[in-house]
Amino acid sequence: MIVSMTGYAAATQEMPYGSFNLEIRSVNNRYLDIQLRLPDDFRKLEPAMRELLTKQLSRGKVECRLNFSPSANTENSQQLDQALLEKLLQLEQTIKTRHPAAPSLSVAEILKWPGMLGSDTAPGEESDSIGMTLLQTALNDLKAARIREGDKLKSVLLERIKQMRQLLQSASPRIPALIAAFEEKLRTRLEEILGTQENERIHQEITLFASKIDVDEELSRLQAHIDEVERIINKGGAVGKQLDFMMQELHREANTIGSKSVDLEITRISMELKVIIEQMREQVQNIE
């Protein structure tokens, strides 16, 4: 199977003292880029969360956001920590004794002092455990979503390959007749210009021209590249970078066919091939 880098998942845990919510989303990126959005009281979980994400994901821009909302009862029960308030005021007085010009603490600053209104988060160890559990739950759902998206991408890519094969099948039979017709046309023109006595030169010019318009080699390489792309897709795994490289090779051959073409139908086929390849390249950029 192939895995997309695009996905979203969320997990929630309700507790008597509040609600935990974790969201994780990922989009395509050349490397693994992890961004954690955590409340200050959960910052200590960042190394463990980052390690877990790194072990289970290989590519993508991943954003993980954890939120905690205390219950209404918890919020209403918040009271000033009298001991902490007394200590803070004593410290303020000590500082002002030595530095009279120091500004006094405002009521807002006192209320915002860490712990002044009690904790609005869950107990430390329990909150840590819940945060990590939610991450693993959401991560499992994210990976499942990325696999489902990868299956869709696989189906689309295989359909594109089928379309390319059909175009090649319509192009290949035209090449011999096309070269023969242009050789005959060129021979007639050269004989008019050079005369029949220049048979050897005419033959050289025809041979050189035929090699310039012959795209049989490019068609063969394109077929080989298509076979390799199909093999990589069916093999699965972390194949995004391999497929991205193959898209460059496919485009190079399709572009060469168009530049060498002296036939409107071959030119049209080249343009259709490049459109399909560009569509595939956009889809491949989402594969892990």
Side-chain angles (χ1 to χ4, degrees):
M1 65 181 176
I2 63 176
V3 180
S4 170
M5 286 187 280
T6 302
Y8 171 83
T12 301
Q13 177 69 54
E14 298 288 344
M15 299 298 290
Y17 45 80
S19 173
F20 295 83
N21 177 260
L22 185 141
E23 292 181 307
I24 182 170
R25 67 185 74 236
S26 67
V27 295
N28 63 303
N29 196 56
R30 189 173 181 182
Y31 305 106
L32 180 61
D33 179 13
I34 299 173
Q35 298 181 358
L36 297 174
R37 304 285 188 265
L38 307 175
D40 291 340
D41 291 311
F42 291 86
R43 287 293 179 188
K44 58 183 178 297
L45 290 180
E46 183 168 343
M49 286 185 162
R50 191 174 294 277
E51 180 180 1
L52 183 60
L53 290 166
T54 302
K55 285 182 178 179
Q56 300 191 33
L57 302 174
S58 59
R59 290 180 68 198
K61 183 176 181 179
V62 181
E63 180 178 336
C64 179
R65 185 182 299 272
L66 176 64
N67 292 309
F68 174 75
S69 301
S71 65
N73 291 337
T74 301
E75 292 180 337
N76 293 336
S77 65
Q78 287 183 340
Q79 296 180 355
L80 283 173
D81 186 327
Q82 296 296 334
L84 179 59
L85 176 60
E86 184 63 29
K87 183 177 181 180
L88 184 61
L89 294 176
Q90 290 176 359
L91 289 172
E92 179 186 25
Q93 187 59 43
T94 300
I95 293 173
K96 291 183 70 65
T97 299
R98 300 187 61 180
H99 301 281
S104 301
L105 287 170
S106 67
V107 173
E109 289 172 334
I110 293 175
L111 292 176
K112 290 181 180 179
W113 196 267
M116 185 59 67
L117 294 176
S119 175
D120 61 353
T121 65
E125 293 185 4
E126 185 174 37
S127 65
D128 293 351
S129 176
I130 292 174
M132 294 304 297
T133 300
L134 288 177
L135 176 60
Q136 185 61 71
T137 299
L139 188 53
N140 290 340
D141 291 343
L142 176 72
K143 291 190 294 183
R146 283 163 54 129
I147 290 173
R148 290 193 297 271
E149 184 66 21
D151 289 339
K152 295 178 183 178
L153 288 173
K154 179 178 179 179
S155 297
V156 172
L157 290 173
L158 291 178
E159 179 60 29
R160 303 288 189 217
I161 288 175
K162 181 180 178 181
Q163 294 172 359
M164 293 178 69
R165 292 193 193 281
Q166 292 171 348
L167 288 170
L168 292 184
Q169 289 173 1
S170 64
S172 296
R174 297 182 61 87
I175 304 305
L178 180 64
I179 293 176
F182 270 84
E183 284 181 351
E184 182 60 29
K185 183 177 181 180
L186 182 61
R187 183 185 300 278
T188 301
R189 293 290 303 275
L190 289 175
E191 286 179 352
E192 292 176 356
I193 297 173
L194 300 176
T196 56
Q197 71 275 14
E198 299 287 347
N199 285 338
E200 181 60 30
R201 183 176 178 187
I202 290 174
H203 177 72
Q204 292 175 353
E205 292 293 335
I206 291 174
T207 302
L208 178 62
F209 179 78
S211 66
K212 289 182 178 180
I213 67 171
D214 187 0
V215 294
D216 187 64
E217 183 177 348
E218 284 76 13
L219 290 173
S220 297
R221 283 200 296 266
L222 194 55
Q223 181 65 60
H225 292 335
I226 291 173
D227 291 342
E228 178 63 11
V229 170
E230 186 172 28
R231 185 195 69 80
I232 292 171
I233 292 173
N234 289 325
K235 179 189 70 173
V239 296
K241 292 182 179 180
Q242 288 178 271
L243 289 174
D244 186 59
F245 172 76
M246 293 306 303
M247 292 306 105
Q248 299 176 38
E249 296 300 304
L250 288 173
H251 188 272
R252 181 180 294 110
E253 299 302 335
N255 193 59
T256 302
I257 291 171
S259 64
K260 293 177 70 172
S261 173
V262 290
D263 176 61
L264 289 178
E265 180 62 14
I266 295 298
T267 300
R268 182 192 68 81
I269 290 173
S270 170
M271 291 298 296
E272 288 195 29
L273 285 170
K274 289 194 285 186
V275 169
I276 293 172
I277 293 167
E278 187 59 35
Q279 292 171 341
M280 293 177 70
R281 176 180 289 176
E282 292 178 3
Q283 290 148 357
V284 161
Q285 289 176 348
N286 285 320
I287 296 176
E288 189 174 71

